[in-house]
Amino acid sequence: MRAFRAVAAALLGAVVLAGCGPSGSGSGDDAPPQGSAGPSTGAGADAGPAASPSPARSSGPGARTSAVPAPGETLVRVTRSGGFAGEIHTLVVKGDGSWSRLDAKAGPEGAGKLSEQGLAALRTALREADFARLPGIATGGPTIYDGFFYTFVHGGYEVAGEQESLPPALVRVVDALPPFTQG
């Protein structure tokens, strides 16, 4: 049952995130950052978008791009689902620190902009999380029946897990994000 819940939440997160793209702007802001951040290191071809990371990917010094997304490109998308009320909220943070909060139907709930320090902290947390080496679904924590399930999309990788199963690096990413709810 727990595995079914994790898979269902991951699929729901993917469906919600698929609806978060640009609305007819044609700007392609939902493309992974490494594709438009300029010349790659040559090994960036194997770091393209994937449904989930694979530990078998090349992870040498030149395999990861450290390119910063352009201001209008998505830096990270995080969907949080569950909790006592079973709510779903998605945060989309752009390269310039502007963010938007979306409800379960991808409708706008709020927006803002991270401070320079907040954006730097988020970028540091994302870099330290090393998405290429994380499992597609984090497991191993205790079951929290009314807990949250998170789905992260960053740099072409998607990683998900229940709140108590998230590795410390992903907890730091969550801590660096704007609030998932108003107030």
Side-chain angles (χ1 to χ4, degrees):
M1 184 67 176
R2 182 176 176 181
F4 175 75
R5 178 179 169 197
V7 171
L11 289 174
L12 179 61
V15 169
V16 169
L17 291 176
C20 293
S23 56
S25 67
S27 66
D29 84 24
D30 59 341
Q34 68 267 22
S36 61
S40 71
T41 59
D46 65 331
S52 63
S54 168
R57 290 177 189 250
S58 172
S59 59
R64 301 275 325 240
T65 61
S66 60
V68 176
E73 291 182 334
T74 300
L75 175 63
V76 65
R77 294 178 196 226
V78 182
T79 299
R80 183 179 81 171
S81 60
F84 179 74
E87 295 181 352
I88 299 172
H89 300 278
T90 299
L91 288 171
V92 180
V93 181
K94 303 289 185 177
D96 65 355
S98 61
W99 58 267
S100 57
R101 184 184 316 110
L102 308 171
D103 63 17
K105 295 181 181 181
E109 279 190 327
K113 187 163 184 175
L114 293 172
S115 66
E116 289 297 320
Q117 296 84 3
L119 181 58
L122 178 59
R123 288 185 183 193
T124 298
L126 288 167
R127 184 179 60 252
E128 290 174 354
D130 195 8
F131 278 67
R133 293 182 180 257
L134 292 172
I137 297 189
T139 59
T143 299
I144 308 292
Y145 290 103
D146 287 327
F148 293 110
F149 189 88
Y150 291 89
T151 303
F152 301 81
V153 178
H154 170 68
Y157 295 97
E158 181 174 334
V159 178
E162 293 182 12
Q163 70 184 43
E164 294 300 318
S165 296
L166 294 178
L170 286 180
V171 172
R172 287 190 291 276
V173 170
V174 170
D175 291 344
L177 291 168
F180 280 93
T181 58
Q182 297 173 344

